[in-house]
Amino acid sequence: MSPLSGGGALFCALKLSSRSSFLNRGLAMALPDGPQVDNTSKFLQRVPHRQHPGILKLKRVTLPQDVMDGAQLLVQKCSITRLQERCQSLSHFLWSRKRPVEDRELQRRAIELEKRLREKMAPQSGPVLQADESEEALEKALKQRVMTTLRKNIYHWQQLRYDKELSVLYLAARFGGVHAAVSRAFHEIKKRVPDFLPQTLLDFGSGTGSVTWAAHTAWGSSVREYMCVDSSAEMNEISEFLLRGGSMSRDARMPGVYFRQFLPVSPKVGYDLVTSAYSLNELPSQHDRIETIRTLWRKTNGFLVLIENGTQEGHQILMEARDAILKLDEEQESKVHRRGHIFAPCPHSLPCPLLAKTHIVPCNFIQAYQPLPFSWNPSTLWERFSFLIMRRGPGDGVEQWPRITQPVLRRPRHVHCRMCCPDGMLQHMVVTAHRHGRDLYRCARNSEWGDRLPMIIPSRDGESVVDETSLGDLQNLCPDEILSPRSPT
């Protein structure tokens, strides 16, 4: 007789039914206060769920053909040896680049190390110094050992000098990726605030001109003045070369583009749109970064867009800038109309919950793009980046919708969404049609990493909305990638 026949089959059926019932109860308990779709703008009567207003994904970003032709022509003229190898090496170096170690941090580590070394050397020296050994000699040896150890273990930050060759390498390695990340940030502004039509733009650390091309693609002739600031004269020359279609004898494709090597400090001249893409980590200290951020914010009349690598360092640099701007606004109590708010990606102005974790996970996003057409590049690459958008104004009337911070996992009859919520908490929500309604379920199922989910979460008084028991049961039933998703790279 089969082991599943008779009473055995009945027992297994009851066990499976009980397990399924427990899982369903767990899913129903996942969001106890019943978050529902936010349809205050009545978008459900106008667009299908796959086009809900929280969708911000951008298709593969492509460069204008004349830009690609000009970049190829410039690289060929320079005749750089081992071009592919050196481009990959530069990309890896920039991705792993960290902030300079601050003097106070270096001093703190030196004191701790000296204390530990003294404790180790004390038993060896004995109560009385040797005849050929003086206290001064011991101190000198101790300091020498401290310096040697620090040199081996401290990150050595070096300022990059972008001469002609390094600037061309940067163009070949990073132009497409930078352009893609900036295009994604501009796309969010354009979609959420369609009435915003900037006339002036300031780009700090403009490099080879990726921001200029992205702004022109997003707003066209609306932008009448581009102020490009980069300390490298060679970078500015390459940017102008691309603007002229690969020949300095031609007219610039976009009028009103100006180049400067230094950022003007005076706040008298403001700009509708101010940007800094992959440039803050090139500044030599935290003090320089904070002062630069404050200067850029004072010059902002509309939006300030900051973009860095999608690494821990890049994320922390942006959170540092975020805190500096919020603190500056608090200090300027007399200028209430000049205050701003966080436009993206954070749905709140509270401390970043990711920084509170023991193991810091960066808040980053990805964007597909077409790289420059070199033989070693595939047809599509992905740029992983972190970004911060600040906007002038109090932020009244802005929908405080959660931001999806990891890939959405779609499973039969339920969707896993990991989100940063307006209450400053990270939530793992298991959205089902039975518990949350068909509209919210379909919106979640059509959303992607980086989108905003149009929903209102009732106040939970700081309690998590996820039932850990139900998630543990899901972990046993679903593939491993539910709790450890792999992002496309």
Side-chain angles (χ1 to χ4, degrees):
M1 180 181 291
S2 171
L4 294 182
S5 62
L10 178 61
F11 174 80
C12 288
L14 289 174
K15 186 175 180 180
L16 289 173
S17 175
S18 175
R19 185 177 178 84
S20 177
S21 176
F22 175 78
L23 175 58
N24 289 335
R25 288 198 304 273
L27 290 176
M29 292 168 58
L31 299 172
D33 292 329
Q36 298 296 330
V37 68
D38 182 4
N39 192 34
T40 53
S41 63
K42 301 190 182 301
F43 71 89
L44 291 173
Q45 285 75 26
R46 300 193 304 270
V47 297
H49 297 89
R50 64 178 180 276
Q51 298 176 4
H52 71 76
I55 290 180
L56 299 164
K57 56 177 174 279
L58 188 61
K59 294 182 180 180
R60 190 182 71 155
V61 176
T62 58
L63 289 165
Q65 188 60 46
D66 51 351
V67 176
M68 292 192 290
D69 294 341
Q72 281 187 302
L73 178 62
L74 185 60
V75 172
Q76 291 172 1
K77 282 183 176 181
C78 291
S79 301
I80 299 176
T81 58
R82 299 182 295 112
L83 179 62
Q84 177 181 354
E85 178 185 343
R86 295 177 66 182
C87 283
Q88 292 174 348
S89 177
L90 178 61
S91 296
H92 294 158
F93 172 79
L94 294 174
W95 175 258
S96 61
R97 192 162 167 78
K98 298 181 179 180
R99 291 167 292 176
V101 179
E102 299 296 319
D103 291 341
R104 59 179 180 274
E105 175 65 15
L106 188 63
Q107 184 178 12
R108 182 187 67 81
R109 295 189 187 185
I111 293 174
E112 291 180 356
L113 181 58
E114 182 180 354
K115 183 179 179 181
R116 291 199 302 268
L117 291 176
R118 282 187 184 279
E119 292 174 354
K120 290 182 179 180
M121 295 174 65
Q124 301 175 4
S125 60
V128 180
L129 296 173
Q130 301 295 331
D132 59 342
E133 203 175 46
S134 66
E135 184 177 354
E136 183 179 352
L138 285 176
E139 288 293 327
K140 184 177 180 180
L142 179 64
K143 291 181 179 179
Q144 182 65 32
R145 191 171 176 184
V146 168
M147 294 301 296
T148 302
T149 305
L150 286 177
R151 276 195 291 268
K152 291 181 179 179
N153 295 279
I154 294 295
Y155 177 77
H156 297 283
W157 183 91
Q158 294 181 345
Q159 190 166 11
L160 293 176
R161 303 292 182 183
Y162 283 97
D163 55 13
K164 183 62 178 292
E165 186 172 84
L166 186 57
S167 298
V168 173
L169 283 173
Y170 187 88
L171 170 71
R174 297 291 300 133
F175 189 88
V178 176
H179 177 263
V182 176
S183 297
R184 166 60 181 82
F186 287 172
H187 173 72
E188 177 153 352
I189 296 175
K190 187 177 179 181
K191 182 169 183 180
R192 292 176 57 186
V193 191
D195 295 336
F196 177 69
L197 297 174
Q199 296 186 7
T200 56
L201 180 147
L202 170 64
D203 182 19
F204 174 74
S206 55
T208 54
S210 300
V211 172
T212 301
W213 289 99
H216 181 74
T217 301
W219 290 288
S221 59
S222 169
V223 185
R224 300 177 182 176
E225 179 184 347
Y226 301 83
M227 180 58 70
C228 302
V229 179
D230 197 289
S231 59
S232 170
E234 289 77 8
M235 282 283 200
N236 292 333
E237 290 178 4
I238 290 177
S239 180
E240 187 173 6
F241 181 83
L242 296 178
L243 286 171
R244 295 181 180 274
S247 175
M248 297 302 290
S249 61
R250 299 180 184 176
D251 293 334
R253 179 174 171 179
M254 288 172 277
V257 181
Y258 305 97
F259 298 95
R260 294 189 63 166
Q261 289 185 260
F262 303 98
L263 178 66
V265 179
S266 173
K268 294 182 179 180
V269 180
Y271 298 84
D272 298 331
L273 181 62
V274 179
T275 64
S276 174
Y278 302 91
S279 299
L280 296 178
N281 202 16
E282 297 299 324
L283 299 177
S285 68
Q286 183 186 41
H287 173 76
D288 292 320
R289 291 195 301 271
I290 297 299
E291 288 302 311
T292 300
I293 287 297
R294 288 176 170 237
T295 300
L296 294 177
W297 181 237
R298 292 189 188 101
K299 290 182 170 297
T300 302
N301 293 332
F303 287 91
L304 171 63
V305 179
L306 306 175
I307 299 175
E308 291 293 332
N309 285 329
T311 60
Q312 289 187 15
E313 290 295 317
H315 176 223
Q316 291 178 335
I317 287 174
L318 294 181
M319 293 302 97
E320 177 185 85
R322 175 183 185 262
D323 294 341
I325 294 173
L326 295 177
K327 183 178 179 181
L328 180 63
D329 282 351
E330 290 178 359
E331 294 173 354
Q332 297 179 339
E333 296 180 358
S334 60
K335 300 180 180 180
V336 178
H337 67 284
R338 292 287 292 171
R339 292 190 180 184
H341 66 276
I342 302 171
F343 183 80
C346 314
H348 58 82
S349 57
L350 300 170
C352 178
L354 289 171
L355 297 181
K357 290 179 172 291
T358 304
H359 176 65
I360 298 177
V361 179
C363 176
N364 55 27
F365 306 91
I366 57 174
Q367 177 59 52
Y369 69 96
Q370 176 189 9
L372 292 175
F374 296 116
S375 59
W376 63 86
N377 281 333
S379 59
T380 301
L381 287 176
W382 296 81
E383 176 73 5
R384 186 183 293 266
F385 64 98
S386 298
F387 75 109
L388 173 68
I389 304 179
M390 303 291 296
R391 186 185 185 186
R392 289 289 185 187
D396 298 336
V398 178
E399 310 97 336
Q400 297 300 315
W401 292 344
R403 174 83 58 169
I404 300 175
T405 57
Q406 291 187 25
V408 176
L409 301 177
R410 302 170 184 84
R411 297 295 179 260
R413 296 182 297 280
H414 65 277
V415 183
H416 290 259
C417 296
R418 289 174 175 81
M419 302 180 295
C420 183
C421 299
D423 60 0
M425 296 178 62
L426 296 172
Q427 306 296 349
H428 176 176
M429 295 187 178
V430 184
V431 184
T432 68
H434 174 72
R435 174 60 182 162
H436 309 101
R438 173 178 171 272
D439 291 326
L440 182 56
Y441 171 71
R442 293 192 63 182
C443 285
R445 202 164 187 86
N446 284 281
S447 297
E448 299 285 354
W449 180 9
D451 291 342
R452 302 161 71 229
L453 194 57
M455 64 182 297
I456 300 176
I457 304 177
S459 175
R460 297 178 298 277
D461 298 327
E463 296 182 359
S464 174
V465 299
V466 179
D467 187 324
E468 298 296 339
T469 304
S470 64
L471 285 182
D473 200 48
L474 280 171
Q475 186 178 10
N476 294 330
L477 294 179
C478 299
D480 293 338
E481 65 266 20
I482 285 183
L483 298 181
S484 301
R486 288 181 133 186
S487 59
T489 54

